Amino acid sequence: MADIDKLKVTVDRDACIGDGACCNDAPETFEMDDEDKAVVKQGGSDSRDAILEAAQNCPTDAITVVDKATGKKLYPED
Ligand code: F3S
């Protein structure tokens, strides 16, 4: 199972300012839509670490990553 399938990854469209860092860190998980906001792609093979790095590098913390198995929020940490 690919790492993306074990994670619930969401982008808060109101918080996203179109920085694009996420698309560089995890290009198979994030892409920009025609409104210059990041959207989550399914089926990519980015590693869990790459996805978490993308979330950490987002300047507005628009990306939330939750472990589906445990329900634990991996980023941002509570
Ligand atoms: Fe948006 Fe953050 Fe990515 S501002 S484009 S979610 S790095």
Side-chain angles (χ1 to χ4, degrees):
M1 186 189 275
D3 283 1
I4 183 70
D5 297 326
K6 300 176 199 157
L7 302 171
K8 182 162 179 274
V9 183
T10 52
V11 175
D12 179 342
R13 291 183 68 79
D14 292 332
C16 176
I17 56 169
D19 180 82
C22 54
C23 302
N24 291 328
D25 292 328
E28 293 188 21
T29 302
F30 301 98
E31 65 185 350
M32 305 305 290
D33 69 9
D34 53 13
E35 292 177 12
D36 230 18
K37 305 272 187 183
V39 291
V40 179
K41 302 197 274 184
Q42 297 303 322
S45 60
D46 289 321
S47 69
R48 175 188 174 105
D49 283 352
I51 294 166
L52 281 173
E53 191 179 340
Q56 287 158 4
N57 285 337
C58 173
T60 61
D61 275 353
I63 299 169
T64 300
V65 183
V66 173
D67 185 312
K68 280 185 185 169
T70 64
K72 183 177 174 0
K73 198 206 272 188
L74 303 175
Y75 196 85
E77 289 178 47
D78 287 324

Coordinates of all heavy atoms in Angstrom, one line a residue:
M1 N 0.9 -1.2 0.0 CA 0.0 0.0 0.0 C 0.9 1.2 0.0 O 1.9 1.3 0.8 CB -0.9 0.0 1.2 CG -1.9 1.1 1.3 SD -2.8 1.2 2.9 CE -4.1 0.0 2.6
A2 N 0.6 2.2 -0.9 CA 1.4 3.4 -0.9 C 1.1 4.3 0.4 O 0.0 4.2 1.0 CB 1.0 4.2 -2.1
D3 N 2.1 5.0 0.7 CA 2.0 5.8 1.9 C 0.8 6.8 1.9 O 0.1 7.0 2.9 CB 3.3 6.7 2.2 CG 4.4 5.8 2.7 OD1 4.2 4.6 2.9 OD2 5.5 6.3 3.0
I4 N 0.5 7.3 0.7 CA -0.6 8.3 0.6 C -1.9 7.6 1.0 O -2.8 8.2 1.6 CB -0.7 8.9 -0.8 CG1 -1.9 9.9 -0.9 CG2 -0.9 7.8 -1.8 CD1 -1.7 11.2 -0.1
D5 N -2.0 6.3 0.8 CA -3.3 5.6 1.1 C -3.5 5.4 2.6 O -4.5 5.1 3.1 CB -3.3 4.2 0.4 CG -3.3 4.4 -1.1 OD1 -3.9 5.3 -1.6 OD2 -2.7 3.5 -1.8
K6 N -2.4 5.6 3.4 CA -2.4 5.4 4.8 C -2.7 6.7 5.5 O -2.8 6.8 6.8 CB -1.1 4.8 5.4 CG -0.8 3.4 4.8 CD 0.5 3.0 5.3 CE 1.1 1.9 4.4 NZ 2.5 1.8 4.5
L7 N -2.7 7.8 4.8 CA -2.8 9.1 5.3 C -4.0 9.9 4.8 O -4.4 9.6 3.7 CB -1.5 10.0 5.0 CG -0.2 9.4 5.4 CD1 0.9 10.2 4.8 CD2 -0.1 9.4 6.9
K8 N -4.6 10.7 5.7 CA -5.7 11.6 5.2 C -5.0 13.0 5.1 O -4.6 13.6 6.1 CB -6.8 11.6 6.2 CG -8.0 12.5 5.8 CD -9.2 12.1 6.6 CE -10.4 13.0 6.3 NZ -10.4 14.2 7.0
V9 N -4.9 13.4 3.9 CA -4.2 14.7 3.6 C -5.2 15.7 3.1 O -5.9 15.4 2.1 CB -3.1 14.5 2.6 CG1 -2.3 15.8 2.3 CG2 -2.1 13.4 3.0
T10 N -5.3 16.8 3.7 CA -6.2 17.9 3.3 C -5.5 19.2 3.1 O -4.5 19.5 3.9 CB -7.4 18.0 4.2 OG1 -6.9 18.2 5.5 CG2 -8.3 16.8 4.2
V11 N -6.0 20.0 2.2 CA -5.5 21.4 2.1 C -6.6 22.3 2.4 O -7.7 22.2 1.9 CB -5.0 21.7 0.7 CG1 -4.6 23.1 0.5 CG2 -3.8 20.7 0.3
D12 N -6.4 23.3 3.3 CA -7.4 24.3 3.6 C -7.2 25.4 2.6 O -6.3 26.1 2.5 CB -7.0 24.9 5.0 CG -8.0 26.0 5.4 OD1 -8.7 26.6 4.5 OD2 -8.0 26.3 6.6
R13 N -8.2 25.4 1.7 CA -8.2 26.3 0.5 C -8.1 27.8 1.0 O -7.6 28.6 0.3 CB -9.3 26.1 -0.4 CG -9.3 24.8 -1.1 CD -10.4 24.6 -2.1 NE -10.3 25.5 -3.2 CZ -9.6 25.3 -4.3 NH1 -8.8 24.3 -4.4 NH2 -9.6 26.2 -5.3
D14 N -8.7 28.1 2.1 CA -8.7 29.5 2.5 C -7.3 29.9 3.0 O -7.0 31.0 2.9 CB -9.8 29.7 3.7 CG -11.2 29.6 3.2 OD1 -11.4 29.8 2.0 OD2 -12.1 29.2 3.9
A15 N -6.6 28.9 3.6 CA -5.3 29.2 4.1 C -4.2 29.2 3.0 O -3.2 29.8 3.2 CB -4.9 28.2 5.2
C16 N -4.4 28.4 2.0 CA -3.4 28.2 0.9 C -3.3 29.6 0.2 O -4.2 30.2 -0.3 CB -3.8 27.2 -0.1 SG -2.7 27.0 -1.5
I17 N -2.0 30.0 0.1 CA -1.7 31.3 -0.6 C -1.0 31.0 -2.0 O -0.4 31.9 -2.6 CB -0.8 32.2 0.2 CG1 0.5 31.5 0.7 CG2 -1.7 32.7 1.4 CD1 1.5 32.5 1.3
G18 N -1.0 29.7 -2.4 CA -0.4 29.4 -3.6 C 1.2 29.4 -3.6 O 1.8 29.5 -4.7
D19 N 1.7 29.1 -2.5 CA 3.2 29.1 -2.4 C 3.9 28.1 -3.3 O 4.9 28.4 -3.9 CB 3.6 28.9 -0.9 CG 5.1 28.9 -0.7 OD1 5.7 30.0 -0.6 OD2 5.7 27.8 -0.7
G20 N 3.3 26.9 -3.3 CA 3.8 25.9 -4.2 C 4.9 25.0 -3.6 O 5.3 24.0 -4.3
A21 N 5.3 25.3 -2.4 CA 6.4 24.4 -1.8 C 6.0 23.0 -1.7 O 6.7 22.1 -1.9 CB 6.8 25.0 -0.4
C22 N 4.7 22.8 -1.4 CA 4.2 21.4 -1.3 C 4.4 20.6 -2.6 O 4.7 19.4 -2.6 CB 2.7 21.4 -0.9 SG 1.7 22.4 -2.0
C23 N 4.2 21.3 -3.7 CA 4.3 20.6 -5.0 C 5.7 20.2 -5.3 O 6.0 19.2 -6.0 CB 3.8 21.5 -6.1 SG 2.1 21.9 -5.9
N24 N 6.7 20.9 -4.7 CA 8.1 20.6 -4.9 C 8.5 19.4 -4.0 O 9.2 18.5 -4.4 CB 9.0 21.8 -4.6 CG 8.9 22.9 -5.6 OD1 8.6 22.6 -6.8 ND2 9.0 24.1 -5.2
D25 N 8.0 19.4 -2.8 CA 8.4 18.4 -1.8 C 7.7 17.1 -2.1 O 8.3 16.0 -1.9 CB 8.0 18.9 -0.4 CG 8.9 20.0 0.1 OD1 10.0 20.1 -0.3 OD2 8.4 20.8 0.9
A26 N 6.5 17.1 -2.5 CA 5.7 15.9 -2.8 C 4.9 16.0 -4.0 O 3.7 16.2 -4.0 CB 4.8 15.6 -1.6
P27 N 5.6 16.0 -5.2 CA 4.9 16.3 -6.5 C 3.9 15.3 -6.9 O 3.0 15.7 -7.7 CB 6.1 16.4 -7.5 CG 7.2 15.6 -6.8 CD 7.0 15.8 -5.4
E28 N 3.9 14.2 -6.3 CA 2.9 13.2 -6.7 C 1.7 13.3 -5.8 O 0.7 12.5 -6.0 CB 3.5 11.8 -6.7 CG 4.5 11.6 -7.8 CD 4.9 10.1 -7.9 OE1 4.2 9.2 -7.5 OE2 6.0 9.9 -8.4
T29 N 1.8 14.1 -4.8 CA 0.7 14.3 -3.8 C -0.1 15.6 -4.0 O -1.3 15.7 -3.7 CB 1.2 14.1 -2.4 OG1 1.9 12.8 -2.3 CG2 0.1 14.2 -1.4
F30 N 0.7 16.6 -4.4 CA 0.0 18.0 -4.5 C 0.2 18.5 -5.9 O 1.3 18.4 -6.5 CB 0.7 18.9 -3.5 CG 0.6 18.5 -2.1 CD1 1.6 17.8 -1.4 CD2 -0.6 18.7 -1.3 CE1 1.5 17.4 -0.1 CE2 -0.7 18.3 0.0 CZ 0.3 17.6 0.6
E31 N -0.8 19.2 -6.4 CA -0.7 19.9 -7.6 C -1.5 21.2 -7.5 O -2.4 21.3 -6.6 CB -1.2 19.1 -8.8 CG -2.6 18.8 -8.8 CD -3.0 17.8 -9.9 OE1 -2.2 17.6 -10.8 OE2 -4.2 17.3 -9.9
M32 N -1.2 22.2 -8.3 CA -1.9 23.4 -8.3 C -3.1 23.4 -9.2 O -3.0 22.8 -10.3 CB -1.0 24.6 -8.7 CG 0.3 24.7 -7.9 SD 0.1 24.9 -6.2 CE -0.6 26.5 -6.0
D33 N -4.2 23.9 -8.7 CA -5.4 23.9 -9.6 C -5.4 25.3 -10.3 O -4.5 26.1 -10.2 CB -6.7 23.6 -8.9 CG -7.1 24.7 -7.9 OD1 -6.5 25.8 -7.9 OD2 -8.0 24.5 -7.1
D34 N -6.5 25.5 -11.1 CA -6.5 26.7 -11.9 C -6.8 28.0 -11.1 O -6.8 29.1 -11.6 CB -7.5 26.5 -13.1 CG -8.9 26.1 -12.7 OD1 -9.2 26.2 -11.5 OD2 -9.7 25.7 -13.5
E35 N -7.1 27.8 -9.8 CA -7.2 29.0 -8.9 C -6.0 29.2 -8.1 O -5.9 30.0 -7.2 CB -8.4 28.8 -8.0 CG -9.8 28.8 -8.7 CD -10.9 28.5 -7.7 OE1 -10.7 28.5 -6.5 OE2 -12.0 28.2 -8.2
D36 N -4.9 28.5 -8.5 CA -3.6 28.6 -7.8 C -3.7 28.2 -6.4 O -3.0 28.8 -5.5 CB -3.0 30.1 -7.9 CG -1.6 30.1 -8.4 OD1 -1.2 29.0 -8.9 OD2 -0.9 31.1 -8.2
K37 N -4.5 27.2 -6.1 CA -4.5 26.6 -4.8 C -4.1 25.1 -4.9 O -4.3 24.5 -6.0 CB -6.0 26.6 -4.3 CG -6.6 27.9 -4.2 CD -6.3 28.6 -2.9 CE -7.1 29.9 -2.9 NZ -6.8 30.7 -1.7
A38 N -3.4 24.6 -3.9 CA -3.0 23.2 -3.9 C -4.2 22.3 -3.7 O -5.0 22.5 -2.9 CB -1.9 23.0 -2.9
V39 N -4.1 21.2 -4.5 CA -5.1 20.1 -4.3 C -4.4 18.8 -4.1 O -3.2 18.6 -4.6 CB -6.1 20.0 -5.5 CG1 -7.1 21.2 -5.5 CG2 -5.4 19.9 -6.8
V40 N -5.0 17.9 -3.4 CA -4.4 16.6 -3.1 C -4.7 15.6 -4.3 O -5.8 15.4 -4.6 CB -4.9 16.0 -1.8 CG1 -4.2 14.7 -1.5 CG2 -4.6 17.0 -0.7
K41 N -3.6 14.9 -4.7 CA -3.8 13.9 -5.7 C -3.8 12.5 -5.0 O -3.0 12.3 -4.1 CB -2.7 13.9 -6.8 CG -2.5 15.2 -7.5 CD -1.7 15.0 -8.7 CE -0.2 15.2 -8.4 NZ 0.6 15.1 -9.7
Q42 N -4.5 11.6 -5.6 CA -4.5 10.2 -5.0 C -3.6 9.4 -5.9 O -3.3 9.7 -7.1 CB -5.9 9.6 -4.9 CG -6.8 10.4 -4.0 CD -6.3 10.5 -2.6 OE1 -5.7 9.5 -2.1 NE2 -6.5 11.6 -1.9
G43 N -3.1 8.3 -5.4 CA -2.4 7.3 -6.2 C -1.0 7.5 -6.4 O -0.3 6.8 -7.1
G44 N -0.4 8.6 -5.8 CA 1.0 8.9 -6.0 C 1.9 8.0 -5.1 O 1.4 7.2 -4.2
S45 N 3.2 8.0 -5.3 CA 4.1 7.2 -4.6 C 5.0 8.0 -3.7 O 6.1 7.5 -3.2 CB 4.9 6.3 -5.5 OG 5.7 7.1 -6.4
D46 N 4.7 9.2 -3.4 CA 5.5 10.0 -2.4 C 5.5 9.3 -1.1 O 4.6 8.7 -0.6 CB 4.9 11.4 -2.2 CG 5.1 12.3 -3.4 OD1 6.1 12.2 -4.1 OD2 4.2 13.1 -3.7
S47 N 6.7 9.4 -0.4 CA 6.8 8.7 0.9 C 6.1 9.6 1.9 O 5.8 10.8 1.8 CB 8.3 8.6 1.3 OG 8.8 9.9 1.5
R48 N 5.8 8.9 3.0 CA 5.2 9.6 4.2 C 6.1 10.8 4.6 O 5.6 11.8 4.9 CB 5.2 8.5 5.3 CG 4.7 9.0 6.7 CD 4.9 7.9 7.7 NE 4.6 8.3 9.0 CZ 3.5 7.9 9.7 NH1 2.6 7.2 9.1 NH2 3.3 8.3 10.9
D49 N 7.4 10.6 4.6 CA 8.3 11.7 5.0 C 8.2 12.9 4.1 O 8.2 14.0 4.5 CB 9.8 11.2 5.0 CG 10.1 10.4 6.3 OD1 9.2 10.3 7.2 OD2 11.2 9.8 6.3
A50 N 8.1 12.6 2.8 CA 8.0 13.7 1.8 C 6.7 14.4 2.0 O 6.6 15.7 1.9 CB 8.1 13.1 0.4
I51 N 5.6 13.7 2.3 CA 4.3 14.3 2.5 C 4.3 15.2 3.7 O 3.8 16.3 3.8 CB 3.2 13.3 2.5 CG1 3.1 12.6 1.1 CG2 1.9 13.9 2.9 CD1 2.3 11.3 1.1
L52 N 5.0 14.7 4.8 CA 5.1 15.4 6.0 C 6.0 16.6 5.8 O 5.7 17.7 6.4 CB 5.6 14.5 7.2 CG 4.6 13.6 7.8 CD1 5.2 12.6 8.7 CD2 3.5 14.4 8.5
E53 N 7.0 16.5 5.1 CA 7.9 17.6 4.8 C 7.1 18.7 4.1 O 7.3 19.9 4.4 CB 9.1 17.2 4.0 CG 10.2 18.2 3.9 CD 11.4 17.7 3.1 OE1 11.5 16.5 2.9 OE2 12.1 18.5 2.6
A54 N 6.3 18.3 3.1 CA 5.5 19.3 2.4 C 4.6 20.1 3.3 O 4.5 21.3 3.3 CB 4.7 18.6 1.3
A55 N 4.0 19.3 4.3 CA 3.1 20.0 5.2 C 3.9 21.0 6.1 O 3.5 22.1 6.4 CB 2.4 19.0 6.1
Q56 N 5.1 20.5 6.5 CA 5.9 21.4 7.4 C 6.4 22.6 6.7 O 6.6 23.7 7.3 CB 7.1 20.5 7.9 CG 6.7 19.5 9.0 CD 7.7 18.4 9.1 OE1 8.7 18.4 8.5 NE2 7.3 17.4 9.9
N57 N 6.7 22.5 5.4 CA 7.2 23.6 4.6 C 6.2 24.6 4.1 O 6.5 25.6 3.6 CB 8.0 23.1 3.5 CG 9.4 22.5 3.9 OD1 9.9 22.9 5.0 ND2 10.0 21.7 3.2
C58 N 4.9 24.3 4.3 CA 3.9 25.2 3.9 C 3.9 26.4 4.8 O 3.8 26.3 6.0 CB 2.5 24.5 3.9 SG 1.2 25.7 3.6
P59 N 4.1 27.6 4.2 CA 4.2 28.8 5.0 C 3.0 29.2 5.9 O 3.1 29.9 6.8 CB 4.6 29.9 4.0 CG 4.0 29.4 2.7 CD 4.2 27.9 2.8
T60 N 1.8 28.7 5.5 CA 0.6 29.1 6.2 C 0.0 27.9 6.9 O -1.1 28.0 7.4 CB -0.4 29.6 5.2 OG1 -0.8 28.7 4.3 CG2 0.1 30.9 4.6
D61 N 0.7 26.7 7.0 CA 0.2 25.5 7.6 C -1.2 25.2 7.1 O -2.1 24.8 7.8 CB 0.1 25.7 9.2 CG 1.5 25.4 9.8 OD1 2.4 24.9 9.1 OD2 1.6 25.6 11.0
A62 N -1.3 25.2 5.8 CA -2.6 24.9 5.2 C -2.8 23.4 5.0 O -4.0 23.0 4.8 CB -2.7 25.6 3.8
I63 N -1.8 22.6 5.2 CA -1.9 21.2 5.0 C -2.0 20.5 6.3 O -1.2 20.7 7.2 CB -0.6 20.7 4.2 CG1 -0.5 21.4 2.9 CG2 -0.7 19.2 4.0 CD1 0.8 21.2 2.2
T64 N -3.0 19.6 6.4 CA -3.2 18.7 7.5 C -3.0 17.3 7.1 O -3.5 16.9 6.1 CB -4.6 18.9 8.1 OG1 -4.8 20.3 8.5 CG2 -4.8 18.0 9.3
V65 N -2.2 16.6 7.9 CA -1.9 15.1 7.7 C -2.4 14.3 8.9 O -1.9 14.6 10.0 CB -0.4 14.9 7.4 CG1 -0.2 13.4 7.0 CG2 0.1 15.8 6.3
V66 N -3.3 13.4 8.7 CA -3.7 12.5 9.7 C -3.4 11.0 9.4 O -3.6 10.6 8.2 CB -5.3 12.7 9.9 CG1 -5.8 11.6 10.9 CG2 -5.6 14.1 10.4
D67 N -2.9 10.3 10.3 CA -2.7 8.8 10.1 C -4.1 8.1 10.2 O -4.7 8.2 11.2 CB -1.8 8.3 11.2 CG -1.4 6.9 11.0 OD1 -2.3 6.0 10.7 OD2 -0.2 6.6 11.1
K68 N -4.5 7.5 9.1 CA -5.8 6.9 9.0 C -5.9 5.8 10.0 O -7.0 5.6 10.6 CB -6.0 6.3 7.6 CG -6.5 7.3 6.6 CD -6.8 6.6 5.3 CE -7.1 7.6 4.2 NZ -7.2 6.9 2.9
A69 N -4.9 5.0 10.3 CA -4.9 3.8 11.1 C -5.2 4.2 12.6 O -6.0 3.6 13.3 CB -3.7 3.0 11.0
T70 N -4.5 5.3 13.0 CA -4.6 5.6 14.4 C -5.4 6.8 14.7 O -5.8 7.1 15.8 CB -3.1 5.9 15.0 OG1 -2.7 7.1 14.3 CG2 -2.2 4.8 14.8
G71 N -5.7 7.6 13.6 CA -6.5 8.8 13.8 C -5.7 10.0 14.3 O -6.2 11.0 14.6
K72 N -4.4 9.7 14.5 CA -3.5 10.7 15.1 C -3.2 11.8 14.0 O -2.8 11.5 12.9 CB -2.2 10.1 15.5 CG -1.2 11.0 16.2 CD 0.0 10.2 16.7 CE 1.1 10.9 17.3 NZ 1.1 12.3 17.5
K73 N -3.3 13.0 14.5 CA -2.9 14.1 13.6 C -1.4 14.3 13.6 O -0.7 14.5 14.7 CB -3.5 15.4 14.1 CG -3.6 16.5 13.0 CD -3.6 17.9 13.6 CE -5.0 18.3 13.8 NZ -5.0 19.8 14.2
L74 N -0.7 14.1 12.4 CA 0.7 14.1 12.3 C 1.2 15.5 12.1 O 2.3 15.8 12.5 CB 1.2 13.2 11.2 CG 0.7 11.7 11.3 CD1 1.1 11.0 10.1 CD2 1.3 11.1 12.6
Y75 N 0.4 16.3 11.4 CA 0.8 17.7 11.2 C -0.4 18.5 10.9 O -1.3 18.0 10.1 CB 1.8 17.9 10.1 CG 2.5 19.2 10.1 CD1 3.6 19.5 10.9 CD2 1.9 20.3 9.4 CE1 4.1 20.7 11.0 CE2 2.5 21.6 9.5 CZ 3.5 21.8 10.3 OH 4.1 23.0 10.4
P76 N -0.6 19.7 11.4 CA 0.2 20.3 12.5 C -0.1 19.5 13.8 O -1.2 19.0 13.9 CB -0.3 21.7 12.6 CG -1.3 22.0 11.5 CD -1.7 20.7 10.9
E77 N 0.9 19.5 14.6 CA 0.7 18.7 15.9 C -0.1 19.6 16.8 O -0.1 20.8 16.9 CB 2.1 18.4 16.5 CG 2.8 17.4 15.7 CD 4.2 17.1 16.3 OE1 4.3 16.9 17.6 OE2 5.2 17.0 15.6
D78 N -1.0 18.9 17.6 CA -1.9 19.6 18.5 C -1.1 20.1 19.7 O -0.1 19.6 20.0 CB -2.9 18.6 19.1 CG -4.0 18.3 18.0 OD1 -4.3 19.2 17.2 OD2 -4.4 17.2 17.9
Ligands
F3S1 FE1 -0.6 26.3 -0.7 FE2 1.0 25.8 1.3 FE3 1.2 24.4 -0.9 S1 0.4 27.8 0.6 S2 0.5 25.8 -2.5 S3 -0.6 24.4 0.5 S4 2.9 25.1 0.3

